[in-house]
Every structure is written in C-alpha cells, then in structure tokens.
Amino acid sequence: LSSSAPPLLSYSLKMRGLELSLLAITLLLLTGWSFGAEVDDDEGKEFEVVTCGSAVKLQHIQTRFRLHSHDIKWGSGSGQQSVTAITHMDDPNSLWVIKGAHGDHCPQGTPVKNGQKVRFQHLQTKRNLHSHNFQSPLTKQQEVSCFGEGGNGDMSDNWIVEPKEGAFLKRGKRFRIKHDATGKYLHTHKSKFDQSNCGAQCPIAGQQEVTAYQVADDENNWWKTAEGVFFPNVA
C-alpha cells in the first residue's frame, strides 16, 4: 500500500467499513499494492505497525509454515473447520483478517497493541480462529479450529497478541498468540498429517498440526506476519 496507488483504489480503501475479499486482494495485487512482509522504504512509518482490518499470513518462525484453514472439518474432537499449517506462500486460504475481540469493534487502520485481544477471521470462509478443550488429533494437545458463521462466533475466538518487544505488533517481527479463554499459545511443530494418521484419501496430507500449547516459552509458539494486505496506521 502506498500513496502512489491509483485514485479509484485509494478512494476505495479509505471507505469506512470496507470488507476485504479475495477479489479485492486480487485487484490490489494487479495494481501494484504492497503484498509482503517487510516495510518498503517508500511506504513510511504508517505501514510499520500492523493494524486492524489488514489481511495477513502468519508464518511460524521455527518451521516457516503458514497458518492455514479451509472448509474441511475435523474428523475427531469438535468436528469444526480444521486449522493446519502449510508451506505454500501463494495459497489464499492462509489469509486472516485482524478484527476486534468478540463484541468489540477495532476500526480499520487502528494499530494492534501489545496485549490487545483480537480475532483472526479466515478470509475465505469468514470463520474465526478458535480453540477450546478438545484434544488435537495428532499430539493430543489442545485443538485449534475455525468457528462461527459470517464472523459471528463467541468468546473463545479471542486471542491476545504478545510481541517479543515493543508496544505494538510490527510487520515481520516475532510475536506469540495467546488464547484468551484457556491461556494456551498458538503452536505448530513438525508433526504432519499423512496416510498413516489421516487415511488413504487424506485432504490435509503433508500439512502440519496446529495446536494450542500450555508452555509459554516454547520456541514453537513464535509467529510473524508474512505476506498480506496492510492498511496504514491512522491513529
């Protein structure tokens, strides 16, 4: 995103209450808007901080996999929409829109603070990143899923953003994502789905299990923002 964007798109992005869609992101890409992890020199400080309304990919620091979901349900546990991690950087099913906590509104362009409660809404299915007291399918940690319809979920959709340093969440900088209701951390590891644990026609073969894990200082709890459509800081 930059001040040199075409006038029509510049106007559209300033419209209040803009809802991101795959079509909108495609248009942004075709017209040269920023879709990356780092802040370009010509983008200025207003793009350094991650803001509400941005659609981002979350990359795991240790394995480099990206948080992912799709309209495939867990065959165990809650039976809700599955959440995994994948290697591909160009899959649109790995985009998450940063929203205010359940029942709260975070205006587009508002900087995300250290310790702030937010929701991560899956762009494609409009369901929220969610956790609860079900066991994860492979390692029997805590299951992570997507929940709700049209963005309407419950308090278990709330996550607390914990940057390693600084007062705000910054692009490309490591942070942890703590589940507010259970106190466990968004986590992935090298445990992958395959035919032996998922069946011969496994639709998520090769993808990593994503869980919520209780040990706060585990190295597999660290993430960063990677590709995405980032809105400027308007605070």
Side-chain angles (χ1 to χ4, degrees):
L1 300 177
S2 68
S3 59
S4 59
L8 177 59
L9 282 177
S10 179
Y11 172 76
S12 297
L13 282 174
K14 291 176 183 176
M15 290 176 62
R16 209 167 169 79
L18 173 68
E19 289 294 328
L20 284 169
S21 65
L22 291 175
L23 176 59
I25 288 174
T26 301
L27 289 172
L28 292 172
L29 289 170
L30 290 174
T31 51
W33 287 68
S34 174
F35 195 83
E38 304 301 328
V39 182
D40 294 334
D41 290 340
D42 61 351
E43 287 183 326
K45 293 293 184 181
E46 69 269 26
F47 290 98
E48 181 181 14
V49 175
V50 179
T51 61
C52 288
S54 297
V56 303
K57 294 186 179 182
L58 300 175
Q59 186 176 36
H60 187 238
I61 297 293
Q62 290 290 98
T63 64
R64 315 298 290 175
F65 278 51
R66 288 162 175 78
L67 189 70
H68 180 83
S69 190
H70 31 225
D71 199 8
I72 296 172
K73 305 297 191 291
W74 286 128
S76 62
S78 68
Q80 294 174 2
Q81 182 173 306
S82 60
V83 174
T84 58
I86 65 170
T87 56
H88 311 300
M89 64 180 293
D90 57 350
D91 193 317
N93 277 307
S94 300
L95 281 165
W96 304 83
V97 181
I98 301 175
K99 301 273 191 174
H102 180 71
D104 293 335
H105 176 60
C106 184
Q108 179 182 294
T110 302
V112 177
K113 297 177 181 178
N114 190 337
Q116 182 174 338
K117 293 180 187 180
V118 300
R119 289 172 297 152
F120 295 95
Q121 185 184 106
H122 188 239
L123 180 64
Q124 181 95 332
T125 62
K126 300 294 187 289
R127 296 188 178 106
N128 301 318
L129 188 68
H130 183 92
S131 193
H132 39 214
N133 292 315
F134 287 93
Q135 288 187 339
S136 64
L138 298 185
T139 59
K140 309 307 179 186
Q141 296 175 11
Q142 186 168 288
E143 182 191 272
V144 174
S145 64
C146 276
F147 175 74
E149 296 298 331
N152 296 314
D154 62 26
M155 299 295 287
S156 289
D157 300 339
N158 290 343
W159 299 81
I160 301 171
V161 172
E162 295 185 351
K164 186 173 184 180
E165 56 186 25
F168 295 96
L169 178 61
K170 293 187 177 181
R171 287 172 60 179
K173 303 299 182 182
R174 64 172 59 199
F175 69 106
R176 295 181 302 196
I177 306 170
K178 182 180 181 180
H179 189 237
D180 183 44
T182 65
K184 297 182 180 180
Y185 287 84
L186 189 69
H187 178 98
T188 190
H189 37 226
K190 293 183 178 179
S191 296
K192 294 184 175 66
F193 295 93
D194 56 30
Q195 291 185 0
S196 69
N197 56 40
C198 184
Q201 303 298 322
C202 180
I204 54 175
Q207 298 179 19
Q208 282 182 179
E209 181 187 50
V210 171
T211 70
Y213 190 52
Q214 69 270 21
V215 181
D217 60 357
D218 192 285
E219 281 300 309
N220 279 317
N221 296 343
W222 292 105
W223 301 80
K224 69 174 183 176
T225 60
E227 304 80 22
V229 175
F230 296 87
F231 286 100
N233 176 2
V234 297

